[in-house]
Amino acid sequence: MDRYRDNPAALRALVRETEVHRDVYIDPEVFDLEMRHLFAETWVYVGHASQLPEPGDYLAATVGYQPLLVVRHSDGSIHVLYNRCPHKGTRITTEPCGNTGKFFRCPYHAWSFRTNGKLLSIPLKKGYEHTGLEEAEAVEGLRPVANVHVYRDFVFVKLNEGGQSFEAFFGESLSSIDNMIDRSPEGRLVIEGAPLRYLHGCNWKMLVENQTDTCHPMVAHESSAGTAVSVWEREQVEGAKRPMAVEVYSPFMSSYEFFEGMGIRVWPNGHGHTGVATSIHADYSAVPGYMEQMTASYGEERARRILDENRHNTVYFPNIMVKGPVQTLRVFIPLAADKTLVESWTFRLVGAPDMLFERTLMYNRLINAPTSIVGHDDLEMYERAQEGLRADANPWVNLQRLYQPGERHDVTEVINGTSERQMRNQFHAWVSFIGSSMERQPAGA
């Protein structure tokens, strides 16, 4: 029997002020509602324009249960289409990316479509004469997604009609994307190389929460990053320059006091970031020539303002994290209540010294990869939590750290860096967007 599908009130009851019920992580019915409602009601990242440099270039993406195509049209515009032939429903492409030339061709009956989705041709079309085909939805071609917004080359979509505009949904949080792009002397990013792509045996929201959880690094990573730091301190040659790798992983052993002072900024709609006053990225060595390039492009004052902003992790609700100072983006793609695909992408700052991209790649490999010094620790914690939540001892997960009664979720505020308020912020957004979509589109409608 369904407990939540026809009952928005029961779903809302899963989220309290300082607790969430375990069903938000383990229940397949809740997961199904997330796929149908949360990911349709929110603006979701589907790719970057640098992945589509030529007309006909395309990417496959999935939002909720919906297979999509992101494609560069002949006039240079970007279109996002449902990956479904309007004839028999066949997926147009199963490749993750490629170039389709001037049109898509369905592999089943060869209906073809321009790269803006419009129907181009039908084989043996005379068979449709006098059938009224011109009145059928099929002649409209590949259906476009209702809402598409390209923000400084980052492509977002929202499947549902209505709801919040792109600007209202993201608001001031777009400043983290701006800062990452502005770190390029030419004001431009390009994705280079394939992402690290790996499966986690846990619910996708555990990874999102982890991005602003600053009370775990010195504990969960002590045996790995802590050991690496100890080895460096024991073996280093006196006066030797600290290697780039040590600069990258040693801040994970920072004290509670450091993370408290770092600060967290929360924004409405579930967005937020760690690293307000400082961050684990603030003490990297200067790259020769970079400041001079930035000064030439922006002037010294603005260049310093851009580079002094060292935000740690910015969560864009529902499922991406951007790390501006090292130009990475992670996407947490839900596959099941207990299975998540992670993609970890790296960007090159156009016009900047190669050493910065070297640091980006090193960070991705040393910190984000499941075989890295840091990432495997997190994976173990996620999978332990996924397993532990099935115990019947207590059905609630606690998010109470530094809670203050009367907290608002529709404001921008800077708070203590070890607060769990951003997690509470995310769950408030979670229940709000699912609930509003369910109420507009009840089950069976």
Side-chain angles (χ1 to χ4, degrees):
M1 179 180 174
D2 292 346
R3 291 177 293 171
Y4 304 113
R5 201 174 310 281
D6 299 315
N7 194 347
L11 190 91
R12 290 182 187 278
L14 295 175
V15 178
R16 297 174 174 172
E17 281 295 301
T18 58
E19 295 178 316
V20 292
H21 194 274
R22 66 176 179 177
D23 280 1
V24 306
Y25 302 101
I26 67 174
D27 190 299
E29 186 187 344
V30 173
F31 177 83
D32 182 63
L33 291 172
E34 288 179 330
M35 296 301 97
R36 297 181 188 282
H37 293 285
L38 177 65
F39 284 88
E41 189 74 357
T42 51
W43 286 91
V44 178
Y45 173 78
V46 291
H48 191 264
S50 66
Q51 297 171 273
L52 310 166
E54 303 295 331
D57 286 345
Y58 70 87
L59 304 168
T62 302
V63 174
Y65 292 136
Q66 302 303 311
L68 307 176
L69 285 169
V70 187
V71 58
R72 176 83 71 179
H73 187 44
S74 56
D75 64 1
S77 59
I78 291 175
H79 294 255
V80 184
L81 311 165
Y82 285 88
N83 189 359
R84 182 237 191 242
C85 180
H87 179 211
K88 297 294 185 184
T90 310
R91 284 186 69 150
I92 296 298
T93 177
T94 55
E95 299 296 324
C97 60
N99 185 290
T100 192
K102 295 182 178 179
F103 60 90
F104 289 108
R105 180 176 181 271
C106 179
Y108 199 0
H109 298 95
W111 284 38
S112 59
F113 310 90
R114 302 183 196 279
T115 47
N116 61 0
K118 299 297 184 185
L119 180 64
L120 177 63
S121 67
I122 299 174
L124 206 60
K125 193 172 182 179
K126 63 183 180 183
Y128 290 100
E129 291 177 356
H130 312 301
T131 66
L133 179 68
E134 64 277 9
E135 303 296 328
E137 189 173 342
V139 298
E140 296 178 11
L142 302 176
R143 177 181 289 185
V145 168
N147 301 283
V148 179
H149 193 103
V150 182
Y151 182 79
R152 301 191 70 179
D153 286 345
F154 288 75
V155 185
F156 292 86
V157 300
K158 183 163 71 67
L159 303 182
N160 279 356
E161 299 281 1
Q164 292 194 11
S165 68
F166 177 85
E167 292 79 9
F169 182 72
F170 286 113
E172 297 175 7
S173 72
L174 292 170
S175 55
S176 285
I177 289 178
D178 289 337
N179 178 260
M180 184 159 73
I181 299 170
D182 291 344
R183 287 171 175 270
S184 157
E186 298 181 18
R188 194 159 59 91
L189 298 175
V190 293
I191 282 182
E192 285 204 355
L196 296 175
R197 185 178 282 123
Y198 40 93
L199 280 175
H200 277 4
C202 68
N203 187 274
W204 65 278
K205 295 185 292 299
M206 291 182 182
L207 289 109
V208 180
E209 290 168 34
N210 176 267
Q211 306 311 304
T212 57
D213 181 340
T214 57
C215 283
H216 84 278
M218 68 295 288
V219 180
H221 305 309
E222 183 179 11
S223 63
S224 51
T227 300
V229 170
S230 298
V231 169
W232 159 248
E233 291 173 345
R234 187 184 66 218
E235 302 295 335
Q236 66 177 309
V237 176
E238 185 176 353
K241 185 177 182 300
R242 197 166 59 151
M244 182 184 289
V246 177
E247 288 189 343
V248 164
Y249 62 68
S250 60
F252 283 82
M253 288 297 96
S254 299
S255 65
Y256 287 114
E257 290 74 21
F258 172 83
F259 285 108
E260 281 190 311
M262 194 168 78
I264 292 176
R265 180 178 283 116
V266 294
W267 290 296
N269 296 324
H271 315 304
H273 78 90
T274 52
V276 179
T278 186
S279 85
I280 68 170
H281 306 298
D283 198 27
Y284 292 159
S285 297
V287 173
Y290 180 42
M291 184 61 196
E292 289 78 4
Q293 287 181 306
M294 291 291 285
T295 298
S297 296
Y298 298 106
E300 183 175 353
E301 182 180 347
R302 187 179 173 206
R304 290 197 182 281
R305 196 163 60 244
I306 292 169
L307 298 183
D308 286 348
E309 187 75 58
N310 284 298
R311 298 180 183 186
H312 179 189
N313 293 336
T314 296
V315 170
Y316 285 107
F317 187 79
N319 71 325
I320 67 168
M321 184 278 283
V322 164
K323 191 182 278 289
V326 287
Q327 298 89 53
T328 61
L329 181 150
R330 300 176 79 195
V331 189
F332 310 114
I333 303 171
L335 300 180
D338 60 354
K339 188 177 295 182
T340 302
L341 175 66
V342 183
E343 293 183 344
S344 191
W345 295 86
T346 55
F347 293 86
R348 179 188 284 275
L349 297 168
V350 176
D354 287 344
M355 187 181 289
L356 285 162
F357 190 53
E358 178 185 345
R359 185 156 63 200
T360 296
L361 296 176
M362 180 174 287
Y363 190 95
N364 209 32
R365 192 170 63 251
L366 284 181
I367 306 302
N368 292 340
T371 53
S372 72
I373 290 175
V374 171
H376 73 280
D377 293 329
D378 292 324
L379 171 59
E380 181 181 350
M381 295 305 114
Y382 303 145
E383 293 186 344
R384 283 188 181 207
Q386 194 73 32
E387 184 179 350
L389 285 171
R390 296 197 171 277
D392 290 331
N394 174 6
W396 295 95
V397 172
N398 189 281
L399 303 174
Q400 203 155 357
R401 184 173 176 74
L402 293 171
Y403 170 72
Q404 294 184 325
E407 275 181 359
R408 292 176 57 184
H409 303 286
D410 59 347
V411 295
T412 298
E413 286 188 15
V414 175
I415 53 178
N416 184 298
T418 61
S419 172
E420 290 177 334
R421 181 166 171 183
Q422 171 56 17
M423 301 173 203
R424 299 190 288 272
N425 192 33
Q426 289 162 194
F427 273 106
H428 179 270
W430 182 87
V431 78
S432 175
F433 285 109
I434 295 183
S436 61
S437 177
M438 286 178 69
E439 286 163 2
R440 290 211 311 274
Q441 302 172 51

